[in-house]
């Protein structure tokens, strides 16, 4: 039986190609989901636009929209285990990480409820006999396209601010992970969001995704995914003059100096790359270590990485589940083979775990590679798997140049007890997020996005709402008294 999805205010199974959702821990199909065909995508977008107007959502006072967002947050919170489970089944991430991400989705809706309720317009300084105000209005229908690695986080991060801004949202989740978006639609419905304000259209990028991008009633696109896909979408968006936000890939450096607290650095580097099996846009996949502590840190990391428990994601003691799919594991394996061809050496991992427990899932061991330099393909291309490349360095100037010598610019970690040096490097690094003596510390209250090929625009923070609004300046004449 096909699983339905919410379109035109109803749950339908659609006339498009059905989409199997596969559990990467077992290789088994969990459920087959219906998808819309081209005419249904068109009808769904038109319906979303009508509901936006007929429900009064776009013009509702912000505090009333905020109340609805709070209700959605509570609805997610009541089903928190269900949400975490949908992501765990779909992308294989370990249960504890899925639980934490479900909690972050709740916090995201609450945060944007607060931003929505408190965001003010501007009273501009007068330059004549008039009052000049700038107000912010929604675009209309916003399309959101998301990747598979963290659907719980990514989808909340787009849907919450886009709704808060007064838009209707049409969400296309990754074809690999459609379940969280369906759970979100159920939560929105039970929280009393007018049906049709959040439409979820499962399907592939080439069918549903491109139909969204080219539909005349879609007035803004918010995309998270790979850089090649983002670039292709930006070309089409440019033709349409469609505002577009792009959160793209990364190849983030971690820099450890001789004077760093090595215990803290060891943990930060390890979690920074291996959490989520390296399937994180901010994974710290290039590790630069100052020569004086290079061998010791590598030894420590090898010991810790080889003791991480890889196994079924639902098991309490599992640190790392499988990769998202068997095809993605082959992609990771190709990169590791390529690294060896370029002269790299495996310090740990570099293979699948062996045994009955791991036989059917897309498992892979946390892998550390030494002996490469920053020009190697494994240090330039996003592997998006549990693969850390370690590169020694001698001085500050050299490591800044190497860290910045990348097409990407998403994040960077700096480990040192010399704070003036940490600030100097933070200023010199070309990346949207810099962490000093910590890593992957993410707050919904801080803007997030990429330099260079890592993206365009910033999600989160108060400005996360502005992504989904356009400004209008109004002048009101205030003639002299007669
Ligand atoms: P992807 O680019 O393959 O797919 C992302 C989404 O785009 C999917 O929903 C896909 O169906 C859709 N898509 C693909 N082709 C399309 C087309 N022609 N038209 C419209 N939609 C299309 O990325 P992925 O493999 O799902 O995700 C991994 C990537 O996402 C990595 O590069 C990772 O770094 C990036 N990512 C970035 C961030 C960030 O915030 N910067 C966060 C998470 C993931």
């Amino acid at each position: 039986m096909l699983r339905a999805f919410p379109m035109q205010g109803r749950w339908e199974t659609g006339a498009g190609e059905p989409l199997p959702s596969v559990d990467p821990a077992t290789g088994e199909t969990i459920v087959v989901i219906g998808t819309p065909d081209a005419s249904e995508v068109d009808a769904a977008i038109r319906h979303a636009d009508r509901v936006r107007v007929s429900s009064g959502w776009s013009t509702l006072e912000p505090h009333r929209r905020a109340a609805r967002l709070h209700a959605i947050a509570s609805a997610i919170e009541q089903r928190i285990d269900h949400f975490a489970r949908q992501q765990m089944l779909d992308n294989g991430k370990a249960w504890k990480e899925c639980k934490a991400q479900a909690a972050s989705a709740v916090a995201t809706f609450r945060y944007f409820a607060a931003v929505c309720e408190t965001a003010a317009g501007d009273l501009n300084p007068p330059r004549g006999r008039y009052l000049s105000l700038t107000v912010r209005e929604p675009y209309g229908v916003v399309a959101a396209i998301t990747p598979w690695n963290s659907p719980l986080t990514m989808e909340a991060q787009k849907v919450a601010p886009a709704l808060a801004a007064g838009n209707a949202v049409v969400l296309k989740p990754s074809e690999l992970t459609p379940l969280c978006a369906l759970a979100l639609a159920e939560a929105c419905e039970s929280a009393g969001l007018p049906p049709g304000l959040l439409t979820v259209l499962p399907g592939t990028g080439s069918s549903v995704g491109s139909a969204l991008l080219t539909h005349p009633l879609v007035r803004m696109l918010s995309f998270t995914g790979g850089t090649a896909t983002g670039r292709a979408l930006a070309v089409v968006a440019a033709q349409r003059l469609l505002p577009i936000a792009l959160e793209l890939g990364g190849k983030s450096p971690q820099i450890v100096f001789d004077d760093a607290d090595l215990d803290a650095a060891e943990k930060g580097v390890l979690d920074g790359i291996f959490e989520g099996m390296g399937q994180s846009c901010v994974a710290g996949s290039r590790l630069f270590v100052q020569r004086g502590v290079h061998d010791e840190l590598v030894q420590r990391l090898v010991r810790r990485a080889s003791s991480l428990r890889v196994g079924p994601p639902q098991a309490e003691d599992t640190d790392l589940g499988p990769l998202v799919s068997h095809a993605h594991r082959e992609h990771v394996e190709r990169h590791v083979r390529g690294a060896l061809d370029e002269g790299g050496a495996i310090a740990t991992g570099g293979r699948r775990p062996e045994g009955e427990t791991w036989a059917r899932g897309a498992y892979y061991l946390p892998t550390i590679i030494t002996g490469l330099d920053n020009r190697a393909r494994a240090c330039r291309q996003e592997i998006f798997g549990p693969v850390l490349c370690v590169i020694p360095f001698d001085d500050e100037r050299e490591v800044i140049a190497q860290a910045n010598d990348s097409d990407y610019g998403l994040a960077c970690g700096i480990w040192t007890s010399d704070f003036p040096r940490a600030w100097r490097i933070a200023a010199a690094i070309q990346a949207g997020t810099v962490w000093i003596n910590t890593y992957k510390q993410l707050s919904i209250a801080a803007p997030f996005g990429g330099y260079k090929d890592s993206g365009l625009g910033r999600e989160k923070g108060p400005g996360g709402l502005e992504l989904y609004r356009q400004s209008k300046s109004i002048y009101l004449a205030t003639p002299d008294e007669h």
Side-chain angles (χ1 to χ4, degrees), residues 145-150 154 157 172-176 203-206 208-211 213 223-230 232-233 246-250 279-282 382 384 408 410 448-450 454 459:
I145 299 183
T146 49
W148 48 260
N149 65 313
S150 293
M154 302 294 128
Q157 246 164 246
K172 191 206 85 64
S174 165
E175 51 273 50
L176 294 179
T204 61
S206 55
V208 177
S210 55
L213 182 63
F223 172 83
T224 299
T227 293
T229 314
L233 301 196
L246 299 171
E247 296 287 353
L248 307 177
Q279 302 168 121
S280 160
C281 54
V282 292
E382 187 183 41
F384 220 55
Y408 297 107
L410 198 55
F448 179 85
S454 289
E459 288 191 317

Side-chain angles (χ1 to χ4, degrees), residues 21 30 36 38 46 105 133 140 143 146 170 184 209 266 271 357 361 410 456 464:
S21 178
I30 318 158
R46 290 182 191 285
L133 303 162
T146 49
V170 180
L184 182 57
E266 174 190 330
D271 293 347
T357 311
L410 198 55
L456 213 57

Side-chain angles (χ1 to χ4, degrees), residues 69 128-129 139 144 172 180 208 256 287 294 318 325 350 369 453:
L69 262 69
R129 295 255 165 230
Y139 281 104
K172 191 206 85 64
C180 294
V208 177
V256 182
L287 172 62
H294 176 271
T318 287
S325 68
I369 298 178
D453 286 5

